[in-house]
C-alpha cells in the first residue's frame, strides 16, 4: 500500500510539473526550412514541402489547461528570399462540425469560427510582434501584439499578405504567405525569431497553443519558443506606393437664396500614400492630399455636459502602426480608472478637424465652410534603431482654410482656420529583457495666423513633454511599478489666455477657489500631470493601487484630449478569480474598489465604494453586475465657473448579460440604474446579432435612456446668460446661477449589416436613428455656495412669468424677490426635441492584394421638432420627413510594391 501511495504521489507531482511546464516553452525550437518550390496559397497542402513531418508539440489552454488537444494539429514553417510561409493541418474527427463563417477583415474577436493564429516576434524582444489570423472560412485578420500580453492587440495595423483555408474530409488546413517587406527584423545573417501558433475549435470552445499563458501567470510573447533556421534573409529595401483617385457627388439640401449651395456638387480627387524602409528597422509613411471618405460616419450624440465628446480614430493613415504611440500602459496588465479621466497626450483627430472658424465676428446670411481642414501632407516614421530603441514620429501640415460668406447680397472671403503644423515624437526602450522600460512622448502644435482675429480663439503654439516607464520588482514579474509624468505649455495673446483660463477645462474664475484665479496679463499657461501605480499581475488574487494628478493649468487639447484639470485621484482595486473550469462555469471572479477625488484646494469632489462580480458558464454565456455607493462630496463643475455645490449621496447598479456567441443568434443585455437627489437615470440597452447565413450578419442595438436632473444647467444658453450679476445674491458671491429640473429621454439604435461575399468582396451597412427630447421645469437659483440648496422661482416671494412672442417663441422672466431690488433675468425656452438619422453603405472589393475599389453612400438627416415630451412614434415618423443630405463616392486604390 505504501508503494502504491508513493507511485500515486510521484505521478501527481510529475503530471503537475508537465502541466506547469507546457506554458513555458522558451526552450522549444521550431525549424524554418528554406525552399525553392513555388507555393500556391489556396489552403490545400499539395506542395512537396508540406509532406515532411510537422511540429506537433501543442497543448490545450482552454478548457483543460496543459492537457493534450482533443484533435491533432500539425504545423510547418518555410521561407524563401521573398517571404515566410506558414501551413497547418488541423485534423478533425467530425469535419462536418467545423464552424466556418465569413466575417469582415480584422473581426477576429467577434468571430466564433474555427480558426488559427500565427504569432511571430522577429526582433525576439519577448514583448512585441505581429499576429496573422485565418479562419476555416478564409476570413483574415492581422495586427500587432505589445506589452507582453495576448490581449488587447492592435488590429489597426494592416499588412499586404496572403492567407487561405480549405476544409476536407480530414479536417481543415491553412496556408499563409507573409512577405519580409511587411515585417521588421534585424539584419543578421542568421535569424532567431519568436513564434507561437494557436488553434480554436468552436464547438468545444477549445484553444490549443504551442505556448500559452497559464491562468494564474502573466507574460505571452516572453514564452514564445525560438524559430530557427532562417539563414541568409535580409530586410528588403521596402517601397510601397498607394495612389488613389476619387469621384464624389454631394446632394445637400439648400436654401433658394444660398449663393454657395445649388443642392449638388461634384468633385474629383487624387493623392497617394507612400511607405518605404529607412535602414533596416525603420519605416517611413507619407500621405499627400489624403482621402478618408471610405470610413464609417460618427454616431450622433446629444451632449448636455460641458465636456467635449470624442470619437474613435478611423482614418487608415492614423490608425496603422498606432501602437508605438501608446503611452503610460507599459508593464501592467490591468489599468482601471475609477473616476479618473485619463488625458490623451496624442489624439490624432485634432489633425484635420472641423475648422474652428471666426464666424461670430462677421455678419452674414450664408456661409460656405469646409467640413474639415485639409491635410496638405503628413509623414510618419516608426521602427527600431540603434540598440533596439523604438521610435515614432508624425509630422503633418493642414492648410489655411477660407470661408465664403454673403451678407445682403455682398460676398467676401474670410479665414476659417490658420495654416497649422503638428508634430509628434515618441521613443521607448526596454531593458533587461523587458524587466524595466522607459519612454518619452512629445507633441508640438504651431499655428501661423494671417487674420489676427484668430488669436483670441486659438493658441499660437503648444508643447507637451511626457515620460512613461515601468519596473518589475521581482524576477517572476508579479509586481510592477509603472507610471507617467507630463508637462504642458501653451502660448497665445492675452485675450486667448483669459478665454482658456475661463474655459470648461479650467474654470479659474471660481469665486470660492483661493488657489487659482484668472491672470489677465498671461500670455502662456504651463501645467503638469502624472499617474503612478503598483500592480500585482499574476495569481488568482490581483490588485492595483494608483494615485494621479492633473494640475489646474495642465492643457493638452491642441493635439491631445483632456476633459478636466485640477484633479487628484487615488484608488485601490482588488480582484479574486476562479479561473479553473468546473462543472458549472468556465471562469468567475469578484472585484472591489474604493476611490476618491480632490481638487488642488483640498475639496473632495468624488468618492465611491465599488463591488462587482462576473461569471462565464461552460456554454460561454454569462454576465456581470456591479454596485457603487457614493457618499456626499463637492461638485466643482455644476455652476460652470461658479462656486462649489454639493453632490448628494448616490447609489448605482450596472448589470450586463450575454449569450453564447457561437449560436446563430447572440444576445447582449445591459441595464444601468442610478438614484440620487440630484441626478437619477435608467438606461437599457441590448444588442442582437443574427447570423442569417455563413456570410451574412445582421446586428440591431437599441438603447433607451431616461434621465432626471434636479439641477441641470440650462444647456442652450450662453455660459453667462443664466449666471448673471446680482448684488443681492450674497450666498453665491453676487451672481445668480440658474438651474432647472430636466426630464430627458433618448432613444438610439446602431444597426449593421455585414455581407461578406468573399474575403475580397464585402458590403457593409450602418444606420443610426436617434431621437432625444428634454423638458425643463421648476426653474431655480442656487442660494448658498457649497450646498444643494435652491430657491424655486414662483415660491418664497420670487416670481416666474412665461411669455410667447409673435413668432411663437416662448421665454421665461425669472425674479428672485418679485418687486424687490434683485435683478430679474429673461431666458429663452430651453426645451428641445432632436431627431437624427446617420448611415453609410460601403462596398469594398480588393481586386488584388493591397488594392481596392470602394463604393460609398453616406446619408444624414437632422432636425428639431415642436414637441416638449418624448413621443417615439411621432419622432420616428418625422425622422423620414426630414430633408436628407446624400454623398456618393467611388474610390480606386492601386498598391505598388517594389
Amino acid at each position: 500500500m505504501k508503494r502504491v501511495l508513493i507511485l500515486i504521489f510521484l505521478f501527481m507531482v510529475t503530471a503537475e510539473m508537465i502541466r506547469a511546464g507546457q506554458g513555458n516553452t522558451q526552450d522549444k525550437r521550431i525549424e524554418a526550412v528554406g525552399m525553392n518550390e513555388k507555393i500556391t496559397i489556396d489552403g490545400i497542402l499539395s506542395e512537396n514541402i508540406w509532406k515532411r513531418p510537422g511540429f506537433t508539440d501543442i497543448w490545450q489552454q482552454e478548457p483543460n489547461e496543459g492537457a493534450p488537444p482533443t484533435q491533432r494539429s500539425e504545423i510547418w514553417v518555410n521561407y524563401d528570399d521573398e517571404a515566410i510561409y506558414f501551413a497547418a493541418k488541423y485534423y478533425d474527427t467530425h469535419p462536418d462540425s467545423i464552424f466556418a463563417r465569413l466575417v469582415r477583415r480584422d473581426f477576429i474577436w467577434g468571430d466564433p469560427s474555427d480558426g488559427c493564429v500565427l504569432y511571430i516576434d522577429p526582433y525576439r524582444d519577448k514583448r512585441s510582434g505581429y499576429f496573422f489570423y485565418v479562419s476555416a472560412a478564409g476570413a483574415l485578420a492581422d495586427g500587432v501584439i505589445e506589452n507582453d500580453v495576448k490581449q488587447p492587440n492592435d488590429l489597426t495595423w494592416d499588412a499586404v499578405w496572403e492567407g487561405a483555408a480549405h476544409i476536407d474530409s480530414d479536417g481543415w488546413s491553412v496556408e499563409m504567405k507573409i512577405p519580409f517587406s511587411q515585417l521588421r527584423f534585424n539584419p543578421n545573417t542568421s535569424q532567431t525569431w519568436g513564434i507561437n501558433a494557436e488553434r480554436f475549435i468552436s464547438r468545444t470552445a477549445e484553444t490549443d497553443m504551442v505556448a500559452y499563458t497559464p491562468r494564474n501567470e502573466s507574460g505571452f510573447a516572453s514564452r514564445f519558443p525560438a524559430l530557427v533556421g532562417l539563414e541568409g534573409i535580409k530586410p528588403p529595401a521596402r517601397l510601397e506606393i498607394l495612389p488613389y483617385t476619387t469621384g464624389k457627388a454631394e446632394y445637400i439640401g439648400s436654401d433658394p437664396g444660398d449663393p454657395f449651395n445649388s443642392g449638388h456638387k461634384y468633385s474629383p480627387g487624387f493623392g497617394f500614400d507612400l511607405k518605404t524602409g529607412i535602414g533596416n528597422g525603420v519605416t517611413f509613411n507619407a500621405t499627400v492630399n489624403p482621402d478618408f471618405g471610405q470610413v464609417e460616419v460618427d454616431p450622433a450624440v446629444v451632449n448636455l455636459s460641458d465636456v467635449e465628446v470624442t470619437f474613435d480614430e478611423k482614418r487608415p493613415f492614423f490608425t496603422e502602426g498606432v501602437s508605438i504611440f501608446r503611452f503610460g500602459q507599459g508593464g501592467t496588465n490591468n489599468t482601471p480608472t475609477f473616476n479618473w479621466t485619463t488625458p490623451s497626450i496624442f489624439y490624432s483627430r485634432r489633425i484635420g478637424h472641423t475648422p474652428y472658424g471666426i464666424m461670430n465676428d462677421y455678419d452674414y446670411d450664408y456661409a460656405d465652410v469646409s467640413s474639415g481642414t485639409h491635410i496638405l501632407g503628413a509623414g510618419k516614421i516608426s521602427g527600431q534603431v540603434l540598440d533596439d530603441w523604438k521610435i515614432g514620429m508624425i509630422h503633418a501640415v493642414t492648410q489655411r482654410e477660407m470661408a465664403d460668406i454673403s451678407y445682403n447680397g455682398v460676398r467676401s472671403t474670410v479665414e476659417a482656420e490658420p495654416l497649422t503644423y503638428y508634430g509628434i515624437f515618441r521613443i521607448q526602450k526596454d531593458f533587461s529583457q523587458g524587466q524595466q522600460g522607459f519612454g518619452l512622448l512629445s507633441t508640438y502644435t504651431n499655428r501661423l495666423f494671417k487674420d489676427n482675429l484668430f488669436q483670441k480663439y486659438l493658441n499660437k503654439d503648444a508643447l507637451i513633454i511626457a515620460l512613461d516607464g515601468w519596473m518589475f520588482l521581482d524576477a517572476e514579474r508579479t509586481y510592477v511599478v509603472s507610471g507617467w509624468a507630463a508637462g504642458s505649455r501653451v502660448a497665445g495673446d492675452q485675450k486667448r489666455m483669459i478665454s482658456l483660463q475661463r474655459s470648461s477645462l479650467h474654470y479659474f474664475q471660481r469665486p470660492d477657489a483661493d488657489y487659482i484665479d484668472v491672470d489677465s496679463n498671461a500670455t502662456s499657461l504651463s501645467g503638469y500631470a502624472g499617474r503612478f501605480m503598483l500592480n500585482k499581475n499574476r495569481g488568482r488574487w490581483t490588485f492595483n493601487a494608483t494615485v494621479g494628478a492633473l494640475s489646474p493649468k495642465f492643457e493638452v487639447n491642441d493635439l491631445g484630449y483632456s476633459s478636466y484639470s485640477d484633479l487628484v485621484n487615488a484608488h485601490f482595486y482588488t480582484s479574486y478569480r476562479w479561473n479553473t473550469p468546473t462543472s458549472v462555469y468556465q471562469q468567475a471572479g469578484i472585484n472591489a474598489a474604493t476611490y476618491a477625488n480632490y481638487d488642488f484646494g483640498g475639496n473632495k469632489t468624488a468618492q465611491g465604494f465599488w463591488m462587482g462580480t462576473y461569471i462565464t458558464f461552460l456554454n460561454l454565456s454569462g454576465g456581470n453586475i456591479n454596485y457603487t455607493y457614493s457618499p456626499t462630496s463637492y461638485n466643482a463643475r455644476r455652476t460652470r465657473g461658479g462656486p462649489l455645490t454639493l453632490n448628494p449621496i448616490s447609489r448605482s447598479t450596472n448589470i450586463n448579460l450575454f449569450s453564447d456567441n457561437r449560436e446563430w443568434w447572440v444576445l447582449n443585455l445591459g441595464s444601468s440604474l442610478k438614484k440620487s437627489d440630484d441626478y437619477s437615470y435608467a438606461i437599457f440597452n441590448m444588442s442582437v446579432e443574427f447570423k442569417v447565413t455563413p456570410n451574412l450578419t445582421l446586428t440591431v442595438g437599441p438603447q433607451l435612456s431616461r434621465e432626471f436632473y434636479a439641477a441641470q444647467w440650462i444647456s442652450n444658453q450662453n455660459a453667462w446668460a443664466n449666471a448673471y450679476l446680482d448684488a443681492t445674491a450674497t450666498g453665491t458671491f453676487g451672481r445668480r446661477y440658474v438651474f432647472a429640473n430636466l426630464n430627458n429621454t433618448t432613444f438610439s439604435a446602431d444597426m449593421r449589416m455585414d455581407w461578406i461575399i468573399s474575403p475580397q468582396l464585402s458590403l457593409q451597412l450602418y444606420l443610426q436613428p436617434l431621437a432625444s427630447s428634454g423638458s425643463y421645469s421648476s426653474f431655480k437659483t442656487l442660494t448658498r455656495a457649497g450646498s444643494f440648496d435652491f430657491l424655486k422661482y414662483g415660491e418664497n416671494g420670487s416670481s416666474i412669468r412665461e411669455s410667447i412672442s409673435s413668432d411663437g417663441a416662448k421665454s421665461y422672466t425669472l425674479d428672485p424677490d418679485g418687486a424687490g431690488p434683485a435683478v430679474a433675468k429673461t431666458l429663452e425656452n430651453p426645451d428641445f426635441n432632436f431627431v437624427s438619422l446617420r448611415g453609410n453603405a460601403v462596398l469594398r472589393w480588393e481586386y488584388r492584394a493591397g488594392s481596392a475599389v470602394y463604393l460609398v453612400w453616406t446619408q444624414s438627416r437632422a432636425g428639431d421638432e415642436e414637441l416638449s415630451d418624448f413621443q417615439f412614434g411621432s419622432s420616428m415618423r418625422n425622422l423620414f420627413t426630414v430633408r436628407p443630405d446624400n454623398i456618393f463616392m467611388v474610390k480606386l486604390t492601386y498598391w505598388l510594391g517594389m
Side-chain angles (χ1 to χ4, degrees), residues 78-104:
N78 287 3
Y79 70 97
D80 59 19
D81 292 339
E82 179 187 357
I84 188 169
Y85 299 82
F86 172 82
K89 179 63 181 182
Y90 295 124
Y91 295 93
D92 200 311
T93 54
H94 300 283
D96 57 334
S97 298
I98 294 172
F99 192 21
R101 297 190 67 251
L102 272 176
V103 297
R104 63 181 183 267

Side-chain angles (χ1 to χ4, degrees), residues 59 77 98 258 384 411 415 427-428 437 461 521 531 590 659 662 699 731 741 845 859:
W59 302 86
V77 180
I98 294 172
D258 188 344
Q384 294 191 205
R411 296 172 58 169
E415 189 174 0
I427 189 168
Q428 190 179 42
D461 52 51
N521 295 315
R531 195 167 192 241
I590 186 169
S659 67
R662 299 171 298 173
T699 305
N741 291 355
W845 174 37
Q859 184 180 103

Side-chain angles (χ1 to χ4, degrees), residues 636-666:
R637 307 186 66 84
R638 181 179 284 121
T639 56
R640 305 199 180 185
L644 294 170
T645 60
L646 194 70
N647 286 323
I649 293 172
S650 70
R651 300 170 177 85
S652 61
T653 304
N654 297 280
I655 303 173
N656 293 282
L657 304 173
F658 56 89
S659 67
D660 183 356
N661 76 335
R662 299 171 298 173
E663 298 295 333
W664 74 270
W665 67 278
V666 182

Side-chain angles (χ1 to χ4, degrees), residues 431-447:
F431 302 93
S432 304
Q433 295 185 334
Q435 196 73 12
Q436 301 95 28
F438 167 82
L440 179 146
L441 175 64
S442 181
T443 69
Y444 179 66
T445 306
N446 181 258
R447 298 182 174 91

Side-chain angles (χ1 to χ4, degrees), residues 845-864:
W845 174 37
E846 188 175 355
Y847 59 91
R848 63 187 298 269
S851 305
V853 175
Y854 299 88
L855 299 176
V856 184
W857 170 35
T858 300
Q859 184 180 103
S860 59
R861 304 167 183 249
D864 297 305

Side-chain angles (χ1 to χ4, degrees), residues 672-871:
S672 298
L673 305 172
K674 180 175 182 178
K675 179 63 178 176
S676 177
D677 288 342
D678 68 326
Y679 175 48
S680 302
Y681 60 71
I683 302 174
F684 303 95
N685 60 76
M686 66 181 295
S687 173
V688 186
E689 177 186 86
F690 298 98
K691 301 179 178 73
V692 181
T693 68
N695 64 342
L696 177 62
T697 303
L698 301 178
T699 305
V700 180
Q703 175 175 295
L704 177 66
S705 67
R706 298 186 66 91
E707 300 171 281
F708 173 74
Y709 301 80
Q712 171 61 32
W713 184 267
I714 302 175
S715 303
N716 71 341
Q717 305 295 325
N718 178 273
W720 293 104
N722 55 332
Y724 58 93
L725 292 171
D726 185 345
T728 66
T730 55
T732 53
F733 301 92
R735 190 178 293 273
R736 295 283 177 188
Y737 299 89
V738 182
F739 302 86
N741 291 355
L742 169 62
N743 283 288
N744 177 216
T745 302
T746 301
F747 170 83
S748 65
D750 286 343
M751 296 181 284
R752 300 178 185 273
M753 184 197 81
D754 292 314
W755 183 22
I756 313 301
I757 304 165
S758 74
Q760 294 77 36
L761 181 62
S762 63
L763 175 64
Q764 295 174 251
L765 303 179
Y766 169 77
L767 190 68
Q768 188 228 21
L770 178 143
S772 181
S773 69
S775 178
Y776 290 79
S777 61
S778 300
F779 291 89
K780 61 192 71 176
T781 182
L782 183 69
T783 58
R784 182 167 56 88
S787 74
F788 198 69
D789 299 335
F790 298 90
L791 170 67
K792 180 181 177 182
Y793 286 102
E795 297 179 354
N796 298 325
S798 65
S799 65
I800 178 171
R801 185 175 72 254
E802 179 181 319
S803 303
I804 299 178
S805 65
S806 58
D807 60 359
K810 185 186 295 185
S811 62
Y812 299 92
T813 300
L814 312 174
D815 195 320
D817 61 356
V823 177
K825 189 66 177 178
T826 299
L827 298 178
E828 298 175 358
N829 177 26
D831 291 351
F832 64 89
N833 197 299
F834 174 75
V835 293
S836 167
L837 179 69
R838 293 187 178 187
N840 69 347
V842 180
L843 178 67
R844 180 184 182 274
W845 174 37
E846 188 175 355
Y847 59 91
R848 63 187 298 269
S851 305
V853 175
Y854 299 88
L855 299 176
V856 184
W857 170 35
T858 300
Q859 184 180 103
S860 59
R861 304 167 183 249
D864 297 305
E865 296 185 290
E866 297 296 328
L867 300 171
S868 59
D869 297 321
F870 183 78
Q871 298 179 23

